[in-house]
Amino acid sequence: MKKAKNYLMMSVWLILIIMQAGCSKDDEPSTKDMLIGEWELEEFNGQNITDFSMEITVESDGDYKEVITFDGSTSTYRGEWQLIGQTIEIEYDDGDEVELEIEEITSSKLVVEDEDNNDYEFEKN
């Protein structure tokens, strides 16, 4: 009887361990996956944006596009991006490079800080 009880307890523990392994957090999207998409700048250094607009597109193949509209004029910048840790590195087609440190990211919100300590808060379109 004691041997059967030990066998039953071992079986229960084994089942619990297998169930726990199946409930991992692998279903949560990675930072890189959350970055992919179109984003619109909502705040710059804590201030709502009203006099210009900025939209960025981050693509899974590494392409990056930035569209800035100010005073009726629109400028488009393109380049390549990569994620290293929590840093987004962007190399524009003209050779300029920018590093942005991710301060917060969700499926709908992105907050980054540039090398000059400016904060940008984006909302996903």
Side-chain angles (χ1 to χ4, degrees):
M1 180 71 170
K2 187 175 180 181
K3 195 173 192 178
K5 184 178 176 184
N6 286 340
Y7 179 73
L8 179 62
M9 287 299 290
M10 286 179 60
S11 297
V12 169
W13 279 109
L14 184 59
I15 290 170
L16 288 173
I17 290 170
I18 291 170
M19 287 177 60
Q20 182 65 25
C23 297
S24 68
K25 294 185 177 186
D26 291 342
D27 294 340
E28 293 180 18
S30 68
T31 299
K32 186 174 181 178
D33 290 339
M34 285 191 284
L35 276 173
I36 306 303
E38 296 180 8
W39 299 87
E40 184 173 351
L41 184 64
E42 296 291 319
E43 291 184 9
F44 176 72
N45 288 331
Q47 302 293 317
N48 287 335
I49 301 302
T50 57
D51 55 348
F52 74 97
S53 69
M54 176 185 203
E55 294 180 2
I56 62 172
T57 303
V58 180
E59 304 211 11
S60 61
D61 64 0
D63 286 343
Y64 174 85
K65 181 172 83 170
E66 184 176 304
V67 179
I68 300 173
T69 302
F70 177 73
D71 202 24
S73 179
T74 300
S75 299
T76 301
Y77 305 93
R78 295 180 185 277
E80 300 287 321
W81 74 278
Q82 65 177 339
L83 181 66
I84 299 176
Q86 288 296 104
T87 302
I88 304 167
E89 293 184 354
I90 302 167
E91 183 176 346
Y92 293 95
D93 288 346
D94 66 2
D96 285 346
E97 295 180 6
V98 172
E99 288 187 3
L100 302 170
E101 188 69 27
I102 297 174
E103 294 182 340
E104 178 182 350
I105 188 166
T106 67
S107 60
S108 61
K109 181 180 178 181
L110 171 64
V111 180
V112 295
E113 181 179 84
D114 69 14
E115 296 118 326
D116 296 322
N117 297 321
N118 294 306
D119 290 318
Y120 301 81
E121 183 175 318
F122 293 89
E123 184 176 296
K124 199 167 213 176
N125 289 339

